[in-house]
Amino acid sequence: MQIAIVLGTRPEIIKMSPVIRECRSKKLDYFILHTGQHYSYNLDKVFFEQLDLPQPKYNLGVGSGTHAEETAKMLIGISEVLLQESCDIVLVQGDTNSVLAGALTASKLHIKVGHVEAGLRSYDRQMPEEINRTLTDHCSDYLFAPTDKAKSILLGEGISQDKIFVTGNTIVDAVYQNVEIAKGRGDILADHKLTAGRYCLVTLHRQENVDNRARFASALEGLSMVSAELHMPVVYPIHPRSRKMMNHFNLKYEGIELIEPIDFLSFLQLEANARVILTDSGGVQEESCILKIPCVTLRDSTERPETIEIGANVLAGTSPQKILTCVQEMLVRKNNWRNPFGDGKAGKRIVKIIMEGKHG
Ligand code: UD1
Ligand code: UDP
């Protein structure tokens, strides 16, 4: 059986890494097809190097553009590769344009599709990720749901029970496999003059937040208020989309330390030692929950409701006062919740299910 792993962005590389490692350790016939959606060193190659992943056999070099440009170029490029290879299954992970393109191309060529992290819904169709993940689920043959809740969402949308497998989320595998290694590495806290438990960590890059001047400005004002009230630095490894839009809107901010996007091991260290994490990222909501650091989500909805239900996360949106109130609320929460995303063996489970050909 030949497996094609299609990926294209930072979170896909990180969350596919446990599946790739399992394919390698089992000496399976597989290859990586990179769409090239992310291409800057610190959003792409740094993760292949640090996580010791094999180089992609193909890189389509699609780059940035409108949703239509990115997706259309990917459909053509992925189709050319799949037509010349003889794959039995295409694996995709998450909800980016690369994911939708991989799933759609494979399903039109009658190649089985496995969707890792299936069944997540924010129920906000304004988010491009919601469209991508919903359509991907509905053209997949194997739906690897991270939780029982995700499975019940899929069942509710009429997807056959035979196709759904609750595996846990591969982000738990990635965190467990790397958090100990991260501790022994260079000290990112010292590099930025930070003290454990005495800083806030921020990521903010989603289109609905940073491409909207009012929302982005409002979130930055909230972050400045948090820094002032808590007398703590707010560290923000800034995604290039956000940097571009911050310059475009000429936004000002105070008390926020902007740094370049960093490698995964350094970022895990920053997360594990933060007093609180503020984010609009999907992966960062999960990681803060796994690492038992309180999270404030700078969005109006989340497709990770498990984190809210167990008390690990709260939705703040982008109003400055609400952000501050949510941070204050999370600072007094007990962080004794149980991680709802699995035991760190999702990658192994996914590969086993595919190899056993359970359904399809
Ligand atoms: C994409 C995903 C988003 C995910 C994020 C992970 C979609 C619709 N969105 O958003 O769900 O959370 O990746 O980080 O697929 N850029 C660079 N270097 C790069 C890549 C992008 O500078 O390597 C800049 C470009 O200015 C580009 C902008 O970032 O226009 C946006 O890139 P794009 O890939 O379209 O979307 P992301 O915001 O990265
Ligand atoms: N991440 C990283 N360096 C950074 C910021 C994030 O390694 O500077 C990692 C983080 O640990 C998580 C992933 O990137 O695993 C999340 O990706 P992102 O926020 O870009 O996408 P999303 O999860 O929102 O789709």
Side-chain angles (χ1 to χ4, degrees):
M1 173 186 284
Q2 192 185 43
I3 303 168
I5 296 175
V6 175
L7 46 72
T9 68
R10 169 169 74 185
E12 294 159 68
I13 302 166
I14 292 170
K15 287 180 165 180
M16 266 305 191
S17 65
V19 175
I20 297 170
R21 285 178 173 164
E22 183 64 8
C23 288
R24 181 168 54 190
S25 86
K26 290 272 184 302
K27 299 193 168 42
L28 303 182
D29 182 11
Y30 76 100
F31 67 88
I32 299 171
L33 192 174
H34 194 316
T35 63
Q37 182 176 345
H38 281 180
Y39 47 85
S40 297
Y41 175 78
N42 56 14
L43 289 192
D44 175 22
K45 287 205 177 47
V46 66
F47 301 106
F48 282 89
E49 289 171 8
Q50 189 170 67
L51 300 175
D52 187 27
L53 300 175
Q55 285 306 306
K57 183 170 179 185
Y58 301 94
N59 190 322
L60 304 177
V62 159
S64 307
T66 62
H67 288 278
E69 284 164 344
E70 288 181 10
T71 313
K73 286 182 190 164
M74 288 174 200
L75 291 172
I76 295 167
I78 296 169
S79 165
E80 283 169 4
V81 171
L82 295 183
L83 283 169
Q84 79 185 55
E85 294 278 354
S86 49
C87 309
D88 299 287
I89 182 163
V90 167
L91 291 182
V92 292
Q93 190 289 327
D95 52 23
T96 67
N97 290 341
S98 299
V99 173
L100 176 60
L104 192 53
T105 312
S107 65
K108 291 283 183 87
L109 293 173
H110 308 299
I111 299 171
K112 302 265 184 238
V113 178
H115 186 202
V116 178
E117 201 179 74
L120 276 61
R121 296 289 181 270
S122 67
Y123 299 106
D124 177 357
R125 287 273 174 115
Q126 293 299 309
M127 299 176 66
E129 294 83 5
E130 182 74 354
I131 311 287
N132 290 341
R133 61 171 81 96
T134 307
L135 296 179
T136 300
D137 282 339
H138 284 264
C139 63
S140 290
D141 302 282
Y142 291 84
L143 294 102
F144 300 112
T147 62
D148 289 329
K149 182 178 274 296
K151 176 177 177 173
S152 65
I153 287 173
L154 294 169
L155 290 173
E157 291 182 10
I159 291 175
S160 157
Q161 168 132 341
D162 315 348
K163 296 184 178 179
I164 308 169
F165 304 88
V166 179
T167 56
N169 194 311
T170 56
I171 193 62
V172 183
D173 314 22
V175 170
Y176 288 178
Q177 287 168 13
N178 293 294
V179 74
E180 287 307 314
I181 306 170
K183 281 184 193 157
R185 276 187 32 108
D187 196 347
I188 183 86
L189 270 70
D191 293 350
H192 294 281
K193 300 190 175 49
L194 299 169
T195 308
R198 294 283 312 150
Y199 65 91
C200 307
L201 177 65
V202 172
T203 76
L204 184 69
H205 71 280
R206 287 300 182 93
Q207 179 182 303
E208 70 275 13
N209 279 335
V210 303
D211 286 18
N212 176 321
R213 190 182 200 285
R215 278 186 80 86
F216 199 0
S218 179
L220 291 173
E221 191 186 334
L223 297 174
S224 298
M225 281 167 62
V226 169
S227 175
E229 286 286 321
L230 270 55
H231 305 289
M232 284 187 199
V234 168
V235 186
Y236 178 7
I238 186 164
H239 188 289
R241 173 192 281 272
S242 316
R243 172 83 76 179
K244 183 174 72 177
M245 297 315 292
M246 189 180 261
N247 292 339
H248 176 68
F249 294 138
N250 193 21
L251 295 177
K252 304 282 175 250
Y253 51 87
E254 275 174 30
I256 306 171
E257 190 191 341
L258 297 188
I259 63 174
E260 288 302 307
I262 52 176
D263 62 86
F264 186 51
L265 296 184
S266 299
F267 192 75
L268 278 177
Q269 274 190 50
L270 277 191
E271 285 182 305
N273 291 291
R275 183 66 187 89
V276 62
I277 295 175
L278 298 99
T279 191
D280 61 2
S281 158
V284 176
Q285 288 176 65
E286 291 158 350
E287 287 164 354
S288 55
C289 177
I290 296 162
L291 294 166
K292 296 204 173 350
I293 305 297
C295 184
V296 173
T297 292
L298 305 171
R299 286 176 35 190
D300 302 321
S301 64
T302 180
E303 58 293 314
R304 274 94 178 164
E306 298 89 347
T307 59
I308 309 268
E309 283 156 19
I310 60 172
N313 189 12
V314 66
L315 290 177
T318 52
S319 130
Q321 190 55 50
K322 184 84 193 287
I323 292 172
L324 181 59
T325 315
C326 286
V327 167
Q328 286 163 336
E329 181 190 330
M330 291 309 285
L331 288 180
V332 294
R333 284 254 177 107
K334 284 202 170 63
N335 61 349
N336 55 356
W337 56 78
R338 275 170 60 100
N339 152 35
F341 295 115
D343 58 2
K345 295 182 183 148
K348 285 183 186 300
R349 261 181 219 116
I350 288 165
V351 171
K352 190 162 183 282
I353 291 163
I354 296 167
M355 294 314 289
E356 285 173 355
K358 286 191 182 163
H359 173 68

